[in-house]
Amino acid sequence: LSQALVKEEIAAKEYLENLNKELALRTNVDTEAAWAYASNINDENEKKRNENAAELAKFLKEIAADTQKFNWRSYQSEDIKRQFKFLTKLGYAALSESDYKELLETLSSMESNYAKVKVCDFKDAKKCDLALEPEIEEIITKSRNPEELKYYWREFYDKAGTAVRPQFEKYIELNTKAAHLNNFTSGAEVWLDEYEDPTFEKQLEAIFAEIRPLYEQVHGYVRYRLRQHYGNEVVSEKGPLPMHLLGNMWAQQWSDIADIVSPFPDKPLVDVSAEMIKQGYNPLKMFQMGDDFFTSMNLTKLPKDFWDKSIIEKPTDGRDLICHASAWDFYLQDDVRIKQCTTVTQSQFFTVHHELGHIQYFLQYQHLPFVYRTGANPGFHEAVGDVLSLSVSTPKHLEKVGLLKNYKQDEEQRINNLFLTALDKIVFLPFAFTMDKYRWSLFRGEVDKSKWNCAFWKLREEYSGIEPPVVRTEKDFDAPAKYHVSADVEYLRYLVSFIIQFQFYKSACIKAGQYDPKNPELPLDNCDIYGSAAAGKAFQNMLSMGASKPWPDALQAFNGERTMTGKAIAEYFEPLRVWLEAENKKNKVPIGWTASDSK
């Protein structure tokens, strides 16, 4: 037997080599069709996309059946066993042909609904062509009129969420069916399986519990400052925060209201949006600067195809498209693209780096077999560009590139900056956790259908301490008003990313000689890794592994660690935590929140 097995393993190796090439080519065709649809939503493109997806699913099913003739679980090579294991994961392709077709139609119906939402102007009922990007987002971030904000909130949630309730029910049903066909108890376990660690959910709960007290301090302080700004009628002393006042449609990051909640209002806020416009920045320049950051660290330059094929500005020809920023790998050599309706703002500048992080990952692992051309886990893929954004957002870097002028960093200014970062990075954690806690509970059948909407707001209240501006009932259905829920994108990746990016950043800063815990002149929150070949090398070591090894091996290749921890993010925000706790105590600011009375 062992002689025969050795022989079979040699044949299996060759089988995999050919199969990986074939899979890359077929996935490329499928991705082209998906790209054509996402950048121009019409019936013909949708039909082509769905046909291509069905074609690929059929092929994957054939392969899964094919692999059963190999005794791969008994092979010697860990690598060959890992490749086979990946090939047996069928996902939705496990569904019958008719179920798969129905699932595709359900998903494209939700995603195109989200992309096509248009609402009427609050001030002019006859003007009804406002899209989320850019019009509604601009109002949500800039308006300080509670009635106007409430109006856009309701309009958007009704159209982006409630409208797709029937499709969402069908999606949950088919997702569950596919999970069972893949021998998982539910879709929640399918998603969690990507992290290759049965204790993963528990680990995240523990890390989240460590960071939660800091979130509660930020939350309490923001509520206290919003009361000063809007008055006690609009914001209660101890209740959840009215989410329409937080500068973001989903209240997932609150940095856009920094101007009214900043700890030291007399000190300038680091927001270079106006300066970018003044200096004639455009989307192209923003992407060129992102490219320059990667190459300064000796990482890979963006290839010609990227510039030729990407869509980095919203087309003006009136077509519908998915504006939600995304990075795409076409599984050939150097065919990588971004689709983003870029606007010239500081936060979009960070988004550019985030998306370019995905692209760098694609380029670093493109030499690997197809099954390994993905992140060590979904969170790693999201974290890469964010590490650079943390660096780009420092006063040190913004001064270097001439966007920040006459700036003096003192202790008050430092607290302002840390608070600004916390409004994005700390505030996001409970939001991200609830996006998947909610969907897990539906996948696992833990919530009765008659309580689906209520369960969503209960979770958002329990974890984030926020509430909708108007009473919601079971006649409403609000979760799909978030893009990733309508588009069936797992969200735990972002929670993992926001924790682990600080681990990466801290190590990169030490490697770059930019952070020394013993030297107050080199704090973590003003570390710029631009131009550091040492930090670049660490990235290359990790990114070039793709998914060829479990993620602790990839983390180890980066910095020698093997576990995800909340230590680095806590270290980064420690000066803010100390200041906030003292400040909240001094002002007798209530911490935590009572239950929402009406929502």
Side-chain angles (χ1 to χ4, degrees):
L1 175 81
S2 60
Q3 212 49 44
L5 198 63
V6 170
K7 243 179 144 156
E8 185 193 307
E9 186 164 346
I10 294 166
K13 189 172 189 273
E14 193 182 341
Y15 169 80
L16 286 174
E17 270 167 34
N18 293 326
L19 181 56
N20 273 298
K21 290 194 182 90
E22 171 84 355
L23 271 169
L25 290 171
R26 285 177 179 254
T27 307
N28 167 262
V29 172
D30 178 61
T31 309
E32 283 285 7
W35 171 269
Y37 169 69
S39 46
N40 188 4
I41 299 175
N42 61 41
D43 292 348
E44 189 190 345
N45 284 347
E46 179 179 349
K47 188 165 159 280
K48 276 190 200 150
R49 184 194 79 158
N50 289 354
E51 281 166 4
N52 272 292
E55 191 70 25
L56 182 61
K58 205 166 134 191
F59 181 66
L60 291 172
K61 224 178 191 164
E62 287 162 15
I63 290 168
D66 215 21
T67 54
Q68 283 173 4
K69 60 175 192 260
F70 295 94
N71 300 290
W72 58 269
R73 286 178 183 82
S74 316
Y75 292 169
Q76 289 300 298
S77 159
E78 287 304 320
D79 174 48
I80 292 182
K81 285 197 279 198
R82 187 169 179 79
Q83 290 196 48
F84 271 106
K85 190 181 106 188
F86 281 13
L87 289 168
T88 58
K89 277 196 208 166
L90 263 182
Y92 291 143
L95 292 166
S96 72
E97 218 165 308
S98 60
D99 278 349
Y100 187 77
K101 187 171 180 291
E102 186 172 17
L103 177 71
L104 284 177
E105 283 163 6
T106 304
L107 291 174
S108 43
S109 152
M110 290 196 294
E111 197 170 11
S112 70
N113 176 76
Y114 183 91
K116 290 177 178 176
V117 170
K118 299 273 194 298
V119 308
C120 300
D121 194 307
F122 177 65
K123 301 185 176 96
D124 175 4
K126 289 199 264 314
K127 185 172 164 39
C128 293
D129 58 354
L130 277 63
L132 178 66
E133 296 186 39
E135 294 88 5
I136 305 172
E137 294 224 310
E138 180 159 8
I139 296 160
I140 292 282
T141 56
K142 294 202 165 92
S143 168
R144 299 292 178 254
N145 171 353
E147 286 309 310
E148 179 178 30
L149 291 165
K150 181 192 289 190
Y151 166 82
Y152 285 109
W153 188 96
R154 179 193 276 148
E155 287 292 307
F156 185 75
Y157 275 79
D158 287 351
K159 290 184 165 156
T162 307
V164 295
R165 166 94 195 216
Q167 293 93 314
F168 201 82
E169 291 193 15
K170 180 50 77 178
Y171 154 69
I172 294 287
E173 178 195 320
L174 291 168
N175 176 292
T176 305
K177 211 176 206 180
H180 294 162
L181 288 167
N182 285 295
N183 296 319
F184 287 99
T185 49
S186 86
E189 286 64 44
V190 174
W191 279 357
L192 284 160
D193 187 59
E194 294 295 305
Y195 298 93
E196 302 188 86
D197 179 346
T199 67
F200 202 71
E201 217 179 318
K202 292 236 179 347
Q203 288 175 50
L204 280 171
E205 287 284 2
I207 293 171
F208 182 73
E210 286 167 27
I211 305 169
R212 185 167 181 143
L214 176 57
Y215 176 75
E216 290 178 352
Q217 294 291 326
V218 171
H219 176 281
Y221 185 77
V222 167
R223 182 174 51 199
Y224 163 73
R225 293 294 304 275
L226 285 177
R227 277 167 69 74
Q228 291 177 349
H229 187 273
Y230 285 110
N232 307 346
E233 265 58 78
V234 181
V235 184
S236 75
E237 187 188 12
K238 295 183 173 164
L241 289 164
M243 68 186 288
H244 60 310
L245 305 178
L246 298 167
N248 177 281
M249 186 59 87
W250 310 275
Q252 64 184 61
Q253 291 171 315
W254 309 342
S255 54
D256 280 302
I257 60 157
D259 58 312
I260 55 177
V261 298
S262 195
F264 298 98
D266 304 339
K267 293 276 152 106
L269 262 182
V270 177
D271 180 1
V272 299
S273 301
E275 188 60 35
M276 288 168 73
I277 290 164
K278 195 172 129 192
Q279 292 187 25
Y281 272 57
N282 59 17
L284 181 62
K285 180 169 168 77
M286 291 161 72
F287 278 93
Q288 287 166 337
M289 285 179 72
D291 187 30
D292 172 60
F293 202 123
F294 283 97
T295 54
S296 83
M297 296 167 74
N298 268 353
L299 289 163
T300 304
K301 192 174 172 50
L302 289 170
K304 185 178 183 307
D305 267 354
F306 175 85
W307 300 108
D308 291 348
K309 297 178 174 176
S310 291
I311 296 174
I312 59 173
E313 292 189 61
K314 186 171 183 175
T316 53
D317 56 12
R319 70 175 102 160
D320 283 306
L321 78 158
I322 295 167
C323 260
H324 192 94
S326 54
W328 297 60
D329 187 353
F330 287 79
Y331 299 102
L332 303 171
Q333 286 298 300
D334 287 345
D335 190 350
V336 290
R337 308 173 202 172
I338 284 172
K339 184 174 54 56
Q340 182 176 342
C341 300
T342 320
T343 52
V344 182
T345 65
Q346 174 169 291
S347 71
Q348 285 268 299
F349 195 39
F350 300 155
T351 303
V352 164
H353 287 82
H354 171 86
E355 297 303 337
L356 286 173
H358 290 302
I359 300 290
Q360 185 64 220
Y361 218 148
F362 299 155
L363 295 170
Q364 288 291 341
Y365 59 49
Q366 63 178 352
H367 62 286
L368 293 175
F370 172 83
V371 289
Y372 291 157
R373 287 174 74 170
T374 183
N377 76 34
F380 276 51
H381 229 302
E382 301 301 335
V384 180
D386 283 9
V387 176
L388 269 64
S389 291
L390 282 169
S391 184
V392 171
S393 68
T394 58
K396 189 184 282 185
H397 186 80
L398 293 171
E399 285 183 300
K400 202 178 281 174
V401 297
L403 282 171
L404 194 58
K405 303 187 170 148
N406 320 319
Y407 175 85
K408 294 275 180 291
Q409 172 91 316
D410 58 21
E411 210 37 47
E412 293 187 350
Q413 191 67 66
R414 182 190 191 194
I415 292 299
N416 262 4
N417 292 346
L418 277 169
F419 190 75
L420 182 65
T421 309
L423 289 177
D424 276 349
K425 301 292 180 180
I426 298 296
V427 161
F428 182 77
L429 301 172
F431 168 80
F433 216 168
T434 53
M435 285 303 104
D436 276 6
K437 276 182 168 292
Y438 177 65
R439 288 182 291 178
W440 290 344
S441 71
L442 302 195
F443 289 152
R444 288 170 173 158
E446 292 164 356
V447 184
D448 193 84
K449 257 187 195 165
S450 65
K451 299 200 175 78
W452 273 13
N453 205 40
C454 197
F456 178 69
W457 290 114
K458 272 206 168 110
L459 266 178
R460 298 286 288 114
E461 180 190 304
E462 181 191 343
Y463 280 84
S464 290
I466 55 126
E467 64 182 11
V470 292
V471 176
R472 303 306 270 175
T473 69
E474 289 301 330
K475 288 197 184 72
D476 309 302
F477 191 56
D478 295 310
K482 176 68 190 158
Y483 171 76
H484 302 74
V485 178
S486 270
D488 182 37
V489 179
E490 180 257 15
Y491 214 80
L492 201 68
R493 61 189 62 189
Y494 298 102
L495 179 63
V496 172
S497 160
F498 272 49
I499 293 164
I500 213 157
Q501 64 186 243
F502 284 90
Q503 256 175 290
F504 294 150
Y505 183 58
K506 178 184 164 181
S507 302
C509 289
I510 292 169
K511 290 178 196 296
Q514 281 277 314
Y515 173 48
D516 176 357
K518 295 186 184 64
N519 179 355
E521 296 298 300
L522 290 173
L524 188 53
D525 50 294
N526 201 14
C527 144
D528 183 15
I529 57 174
Y530 182 89
S532 168
K537 187 78 189 94
F539 271 111
Q540 196 185 354
N541 293 343
M542 172 171 75
L543 304 182
S544 61
M545 288 167 67
S548 61
K549 297 264 168 43
W551 68 262
D553 293 5
L555 177 57
Q556 188 172 9
F558 187 85
N559 67 5
E561 298 170 16
R562 290 190 62 85
T563 49
M564 176 176 67
T565 99
K567 278 197 185 67
I569 189 169
E571 200 170 313
Y572 183 96
F573 287 109
E574 182 57 16
L576 177 67
R577 183 191 68 77
V578 173
W579 182 86
L580 261 183
E581 286 185 8
E583 186 71 9
N584 282 335
K585 204 171 256 157
K586 187 179 91 190
N587 297 315
K588 301 192 172 48
V589 173
I591 301 300
W593 49 88
T594 53
S596 174
D597 49 10
S598 64
K599 313 302 188 313

